[in-house]
Structures are given as structure tokens and as C-alpha cells.
Amino acid sequence: MQCGGAWAQYLVPSQGQVGQRASPAIFYHKTSSFATHLNRAGNWYAPEMGLDEGGNIETCPPSCYNDIGMSDFEEVEHTADRALRVRGRDLGELLVNAARGMASLLVPDLDGISSETERRFHIEAFDSEGLLVEWLSELAYLAEMEMLVFREFDLLRVMPTRLLAVGRGGYVPVLQEHIKAVTYHNLAIVQTDQGLEAVVVFDV
Amino acid sequence: MVDSGDLKRMGEYVYEIPQSFREDMRVPARFYADSELLTGALRDKSLEQLVNTATLPGVARYALAMPDIHQGYGFPIGGVVATELPDGIISPGGVGYDINCGVRLLATHLEEAEVAPHLDDLASALYANCPSGVGKGGSIKLKPGELDRILEKGSSWALGRGYATESDLERTEDGGCLEGADAGTVSQRAKERGKGQVGTLGAGNHFIEVDRVDEIFDEAVAQRMGLSIGQVAVQIHCGSRGLGHQVCSDYVKRFQRAVHRYGIQLPDRELVCAPLSSPDGRDYLGAMKAAANYAYANRQVVTYHVRRSFEQVLASKVSNHGLYQIYDIGHNMAKVEEHEIDGRYVKLCVHRKGATRAFGPGFSELPAVYRDVGQPVLVPGSMGTASWVLVGTERAMAQTFGSTCHGAGRAMSRSKAKKSVWGSELREQLEASGIQVRAGSMAGLAEEAPIAYKDVDRVVEVVCGAGIATKVARLVPIAVIKG
């Protein structure tokens, strides 16, 4: 299921793949062009997505991926660090499931986190794998610096190299894992019969 | 996957994966192991990762791994890869996220019997005074601009603030300060992460351990270091904290694009790199050195907290509660060094990711006190098991670019370790064997259970059997402090 709007499916050659074994991946993104602007306070806003100049959401877009029980991620054995296989029907769902998967490493009970604190994210990267790494790195940074863990996400804009999102979560007294960094180790978003899949390795 | 049929035995403890194993290898890959450690290495992807490092542009002679090799990301942990300058590459992933993570060994003037009645209080004081755990900030408040001085001066900054002695600096690799560190190449976010964490341990496998010197193997070298049987010593294992993690992340991200500019093809994106002669390569080197200096300063401030804890608990109870430094080494670093290859001396960028520099006797890089005995090498074991003090050798210079092992090396994933043993149960076992334990998280304790690691004694037998280090002393733990 997609958030509202006309969505189109594009075959995007995987840009910037370093290795020779790179495989193309299918990404979904919205067809219309989309502009964001910085206001005087340095916050981004996007009139097309219902954000006013104060950075407030005027009309909150439907939240498509917030059924935590449906999150598709699993831990993969890794000798020294932690790794997750994450799946999604499209790039947006993959990003949300990856975020929830990482949160499950940080706290024992995702349902126990409040959703009182809201943060906005504007992530840009070299390619979609980079977008996944930068997105998770941003969330890991907030966990380390503020003990803030997110459980719900509204994706306002998903492009292969750009993400605008709102996350809701809560402060936790203790983290059960320290994510030092999100790595690019063998990272490739690949197409499967069900959608997209990637294995992300975290340095802990 | 590499299997045993792909290996050529080059000596009792040396195996080679020939260059013909994969088309993109530029040199063979070699690793040190006995038959049991070899079986372990074949179980995960560590040898495949070692083969990947043999494809790096400018890689010299062979890609190497030590017997504590295990699967990492990009490089295997235990990997040593040298690239020839001027155009050889430097790889942030080849250093790792915890830049200059390392070990420091301090010694006391006390025997175990003098400390034993106060060990409970001492463990509690160390846990209280040395901040540990995820997101725990330190007690050191920095003035504006002071973080940049840490990045450029390392332990010298700590000396100026009264957290170090001249002798500490003399007995630290690089004197605790790498020349050429450039705070300007370190991002604001990295500085943000690092500014509140000076003097903190962090979590994961980092620790403070109080040890007893259990066995001496080389009396003369031990005496030079100031180690004797029965003496109480302290190990500190930590690194550059969030600052180092961010520096690595920043440059791995930047180099994703840069590799295309330099036309570099790689089998794994985590191996991204840039020629050391390029602006990208030079910027990373400057930032890596800055993070390394932060790590030296960090271990120095933790040392100050350790000394404070000994003073609090023992000042009125023993005649001399002071601690003096034996040595401090990094085991996640890249260094420009000169080595002999086929009769010619060449400048190399030596990446050691989970490996320790082990220069033999006579090198000007060693402090005067150790110049004629070789570089001290500190090899911590897993929690509750022995640790080792070794020294570097001439054979290490000839065979491994002056490198040796860095620890026991993991053998089991963290999740499997947690399923195998409860943290509370492990704590009881350790305490029953006479080891005091202070830990912020029982799950974290279980992740670091000895069952999850290789046998450190076996790892040390291999490096010493191969002649790339020699034994000086063996330490056993009496108290463990973890985040």
C-alpha cells in the first residue's frame, strides 16, 4: 500500500555501485517534482507536502507503515557485530522496517516506547543504499546523543536518493545496544518477488 | 567461500590463499593459525573478507590476517594490509569505526594480597569514577576550542590539564600524539559526539580490568617494563568514542563517490578508499590522526580516573597506591611506515584493523626505555580469562610489516552468546572464581562471555610460535568493570 498520490514504478540502474557484482534494483518514487525550502530558522518546509513555512504539518499525510506487527526484519548471524535482513514492498517500507529493526536492537520492547516526541528528517545520499545508511545513521545518532528511539514514521517523500520523513518516538532510560555506526558492508538493495530486500551490518 | 582445499601451507602456522584464487586479487592473502583456529576461520566470512582486501589498489606483498581473525565489515578483524606510497590507497573501513581503539597497561607497587581486602570497594570506585555504558558522558568539561587541542595534541593536552605524567606520554605509542592531525578535517557532528565523552569507556567489549601478574616468561624484559609475579596491574580498553565513529562514517560516505573519480573497483563498498596522495586521502589521514589523538587523550583521562579510584580506596591503607604506565597501544590504525620488501625500503600505509604494531628492537619509533627490547604488545583476553604482554620481533618486521595479534578474537555472535548464557549467571560464575564484576548491563555482560571468544592462550601460542612476537608476562583478572 502506498501513501496517497500517483506513484510510478521505475527501473533504476543501481547508481554508484562500487563492486562488479552490482545488480539493478527497482525503486518506487513519486512522479511529480518536489521542492523543499529552508525557512529563517533553518527548518525545511515543503508546501507541496502540506508543510508551511514554520515547518508545521498542515495536513498530515496518511501513515502507511505504522503497523509495527507487520514490520519485516530479522537478525542475521554475524560473528562480531549485529546484522539485519530487512524487507519492504517498496523503498519507503524498506526504510521504515530497517528503522524499526534497528530500534529493536536498541530496546527490548518496541511497543513500550512512547510516540510523544516528533522529529523531522531530510536525508540525501549518493544512491539508495547510501540513503538507507544515512537514514539509520541519523536515528542511531539521536539514540546515542539523546537516548531517543523512534517507533512510528510518516514518509512525506521517498526518492531513490532523498527522504523526507517525520518520526515519532520516546526517550528511553537505557539502551541495550550501542550502534557505533551503520556500515556499507556488502550492502545492496535487491529486488525479490515480494519487493526489496537488504542486509545491513551495524558496528556495535 | 574459501575452503581448506584453497589453502597452501607456508609454514607451521602460516597459510596462504594464492593470488590465483580470485581474478581480482592483486597479491596473495596470508594468515596465521593452527589447525583449530583455521577451522574456526573457515566457519564465517573472515577469509572471504581477507581475500577482498587483497584487491585494494597498491596493496604490497600480501594481505595478512592474525590468528584472532574473525568476520568484521570490509576488512576482517585481525587484518593487516599495507599499500605502497605514493599512490597506494588509505581506506577508512580498513581502520574501522573505533579509530585507535587500544589497550593501556598500568602497574601498581602492590601485591594481590595487599589489594584483596579492598578489592570490592576498589571495583565499585572504578565503576563509579570511570563513566561507562551507552550514551554516558564524561565528567570533563571542555572550554571552547579545547576539543580541537585534544584532536591535535592528544595526550599532551592531558598533560597540560594535569591528567598525565611525562612518563605516561613516553610510554605511549607515538608519545600519545600523532603529528599531522588536522581538526579542520573533522566534521562538526563528530565534534558534537566527542565533546562530552572525553574520559569514558563506552560499551561493547570495552572494559577496565584489575589483574594479577601470574607468570613471567622473560625476566629481563619484564624487569625493564616494571612487571613482577604477584603484582597488581590494570588494563584499560577503549577508543575514540563517538568522535572516531563519526569520522569513519563521514569518510566512508564521502569515498562512496570518490572511488568513482579515482576509477577504483572494489568487491565491497565498505572498502572504499582514496589514494593517500589525493586530497581525499590526505583529508582522511588528517582526520584519522585527530581521532587517534582523541583516543590517546581519552585513555589518558580514564587513567586519571583509575588513579583517583586507587587513591580514594587505598590511600590510607597501603604504603604506595600509585600506578605507573607500562605501555599504551592502538589496534585500529593506519600508519605511514618504512618497511623492507625484497631488499628495498619502501614507504607504506599499513592498515591494522584489530591488529597491533609489533616493531622489533632498534626502531626509532620506540621510546628509549624499550628501544632495545622491542615494542610492548598488549593482548587482552576475553572477560575472565588471561591477558598477555608480548614484545615485537625482527621476524614480525620481515613477515607482517611489524604486526601481531590484538586479542582473543570472537568466535560466536552476540545474539548466540546471549542465548547460551545469562548475564547474571555469568556474573555469579566469575565471582565464584574470585573475580569482582561491575557491569551496567547483564545482556552486555552475556555478549562478552568467554564462551563467545577464541582461546587467547592459543592465539598467543600461534604468534609466538610463528615468531611474530615473544612472551613477556601473563596476567589473570581479579576485577572486571564494563559498561
Side-chain angles (χ1 to χ4, degrees):
Chain A
M1 182 173 60
Q2 301 288 358
C3 297
W7 291 77
Q9 183 178 313
Y10 287 86
L11 182 66
V12 181
S14 66
Q15 307 163 41
Q17 284 285 5
V18 177
Q20 294 166 328
R21 299 171 185 163
S23 56
I26 287 182
F27 301 110
Y28 298 83
H29 66 91
K30 225 168 180 180
T31 51
S32 61
S33 65
F34 179 72
T36 53
H37 313 274
L38 283 177
N39 64 14
R40 283 181 192 169
N43 298 318
W44 58 265
Y45 71 101
E48 296 92 330
M49 295 305 296
L51 301 187
D52 64 21
E53 197 169 347
N56 300 308
I57 298 172
E58 288 172 342
T59 52
C60 184
S63 164
C64 306
Y65 307 118
N66 282 330
D67 182 353
I68 292 176
M70 296 294 284
S71 296
D72 195 350
F73 60 81
E74 62 188 355
E75 185 154 8
V76 178
E77 280 291 306
H78 189 288
T79 313
D81 294 297
R82 304 292 290 265
L84 290 175
R85 177 174 288 110
V86 293
R87 300 185 186 90
R89 288 163 292 183
D90 52 41
L91 184 58
E93 195 173 56
L94 183 88
L95 293 169
V96 168
N97 285 339
R100 286 223 189 84
M102 190 178 80
S104 76
L105 300 178
L106 297 171
V107 294
D109 177 20
L110 215 50
D111 290 323
I113 305 171
S114 85
S115 51
E116 285 171 0
T117 303
E118 191 172 279
R119 290 290 167 92
R120 291 166 192 171
F121 300 92
H122 181 190
I123 313 288
E124 284 184 290
F126 174 60
D127 59 10
S128 296
E129 284 82 1
L131 191 69
L132 176 58
V133 170
E134 291 309 311
W135 163 240
L136 294 176
S137 298
E138 192 65 28
L139 298 171
Y141 170 78
L142 289 168
E144 177 182 298
M145 298 298 287
E146 299 184 31
M147 307 291 276
L148 181 56
V149 180
F150 294 88
R151 54 171 283 164
E152 290 176 7
F153 303 93
D154 289 341
L155 303 190
L156 310 182
R157 181 70 170 164
V158 185
M159 293 176 74
T161 61
R162 193 168 173 207
L163 171 70
L164 302 179
V166 173
R168 283 182 295 279
Y171 297 96
V172 296
V174 66
L175 294 170
Q176 65 178 5
E177 193 67 90
H178 180 208
I179 307 283
K180 290 179 186 170
V182 185
T183 80
Y184 280 86
H185 177 47
N186 285 338
L187 184 61
I189 298 173
V190 295
Q191 193 191 2
T192 65
D193 291 343
Q194 286 75 41
L196 301 176
E197 183 178 302
V199 175
V200 188
V201 177
F202 300 90
D203 185 10
V204 298
Chain B
M1 283 289 282
V2 180
D3 66 43
S4 55
D6 299 315
L7 307 175
K8 207 161 106 187
R9 195 162 186 182
M10 308 301 287
E12 193 180 353
Y13 297 113
V14 188
Y15 294 86
E16 183 171 289
I17 304 167
Q19 194 180 338
S20 57
F21 172 74
R22 226 172 64 189
E23 230 172 55
D24 55 349
M25 288 173 77
R26 296 171 192 259
V27 292
R30 281 191 180 188
F31 64 98
Y32 289 75
D34 63 9
S35 56
E36 190 173 316
L37 293 167
L38 168 65
T39 306
L42 288 165
R43 257 187 231 128
D44 66 14
K45 292 179 180 161
S46 48
L47 294 181
E48 196 180 318
Q49 292 179 340
L50 174 63
V51 167
N52 288 344
T53 64
T55 71
L56 290 169
V59 58
R61 211 170 168 192
Y62 32 58
L64 282 164
M66 299 297 121
D68 45 340
I69 183 174
H70 59 273
Q71 186 182 340
Y73 41 82
F75 278 49
I77 311 301
V80 177
V81 173
T83 60
E84 191 167 340
L85 303 186
D87 296 324
I89 57 82
I90 186 163
S91 170
V95 173
Y97 289 88
D98 198 354
I99 296 166
N100 197 19
C101 179
V103 185
R104 177 172 291 215
L105 178 62
L106 308 165
T108 70
H109 305 275
L110 304 167
E111 298 262 318
E112 187 188 6
E114 294 171 272
V115 175
H118 316 290
L119 191 59
D120 191 7
D121 290 343
L122 185 59
S124 297
L126 287 167
Y127 185 68
N129 291 333
C130 305
S132 60
V134 189
K136 284 280 167 62
S139 54
I140 307 298
K141 302 290 171 230
L142 301 178
K143 295 173 197 147
E146 202 168 6
L147 183 61
D148 281 0
R149 285 207 293 286
I150 292 176
L151 298 180
E152 295 186 351
K153 299 289 176 202
S155 294
S156 302
W157 162 84
L159 184 66
R161 282 278 299 249
Y163 300 131
T165 67
E166 293 278 3
S167 172
D168 294 343
L169 270 61
E170 191 199 345
R171 292 174 174 228
T172 300
E173 196 169 320
D174 310 308
C177 176
L178 281 158
E179 298 269 324
D182 183 356
T185 57
V186 175
S187 71
Q188 212 43 52
R189 171 160 286 195
K191 291 177 184 176
E192 200 57 42
R193 285 178 76 174
K195 75 177 181 190
Q197 295 181 338
V198 178
T200 64
L201 272 185
N205 60 359
H206 294 164
F207 62 80
I208 295 172
E209 192 173 277
V210 184
D211 296 308
R212 180 187 72 239
V213 179
D214 188 51
E215 210 172 344
I216 296 285
F217 296 85
D218 186 326
E219 282 289 350
V221 177
Q223 201 174 1
R224 177 72 61 84
M225 291 179 174
L227 290 173
S228 58
I229 287 206
Q231 178 186 21
V232 171
V234 176
Q235 286 184 91
I236 299 165
H237 178 214
C238 60
S240 48
R241 309 287 284 111
L243 184 135
H245 310 158
Q246 190 64 43
V247 165
C248 184
S249 292
D250 290 341
Y251 282 89
V252 169
K253 179 185 177 188
R254 173 168 158 181
F255 286 10
Q256 295 296 321
R257 205 180 285 272
V259 284
H260 294 279
R261 268 204 310 281
Y262 302 117
I264 296 171
Q265 298 274 312
L266 296 165
D268 177 0
R269 298 180 62 163
E270 189 66 18
L271 293 173
V272 286
C273 52
L276 197 47
S277 55
S278 69
D280 288 302
R282 284 196 297 271
D283 279 358
Y284 172 65
L285 186 64
M288 184 212 71
K289 286 180 174 179
N293 285 344
Y294 181 97
Y296 283 135
N298 187 39
R299 286 195 289 278
Q300 189 61 57
V301 175
V302 173
T303 299
Y304 167 77
H305 292 321
V306 168
R307 286 180 169 139
R308 211 157 49 88
S309 305
F310 269 70
E311 185 173 359
Q312 272 176 14
V313 176
L314 299 173
S316 57
K317 298 169 184 116
V318 297
S319 56
N320 187 349
H321 61 267
L323 292 123
Y324 55 94
Q325 186 151 318
I326 305 294
Y327 206 56
D328 177 302
I329 53 99
H331 49 224
N332 282 357
M333 284 291 283
K335 286 188 171 175
V336 176
E337 298 167 357
E338 200 170 67
H339 290 270
E340 188 183 349
I341 299 180
D342 300 331
R344 65 191 176 102
Y345 283 90
V346 289
K347 268 200 168 171
L348 302 170
C349 177
V350 184
H351 299 73
R352 297 186 182 92
K353 186 180 185 184
T356 311
R357 196 174 77 169
F359 279 9
F363 285 85
S364 58
E365 289 87 345
L366 304 183
V369 63
Y370 297 135
R371 197 161 296 153
D372 62 332
V373 298
Q375 174 170 336
V377 172
L378 308 173
V379 184
S382 55
M383 190 169 45
T385 67
S387 297
W388 289 83
V389 181
L390 315 174
V391 279
T393 63
E394 282 172 20
R395 194 176 286 185
M397 302 311 293
Q399 294 191 356
T400 58
F401 307 109
S403 313
T404 197
C405 64
H406 88 305
R410 280 195 84 94
M412 184 189 283
S413 72
R414 291 169 191 275
S415 48
K416 202 176 269 180
K418 279 194 284 195
K419 283 175 197 156
S420 304
V421 61
W422 289 99
S424 53
E425 190 188 328
L426 176 63
R427 182 185 180 145
E428 279 171 25
Q429 283 168 12
L430 290 168
E431 291 190 340
S433 60
I435 302 169
Q436 291 280 341
V437 179
R438 299 291 182 278
S441 151
M442 286 300 116
L445 199 67
E447 284 185 13
E448 293 299 317
I451 195 178
Y453 281 84
K454 299 178 193 184
D455 176 358
V456 70
D457 294 348
R458 182 177 282 274
V459 168
V460 167
E461 285 305 326
V462 169
V463 294
C464 294
I468 56 171
T470 57
K471 293 177 189 173
V472 178
R474 184 176 187 266
L475 316 174
V476 293
I478 55 175
V480 177
I481 286 84
K482 290 191 63 64

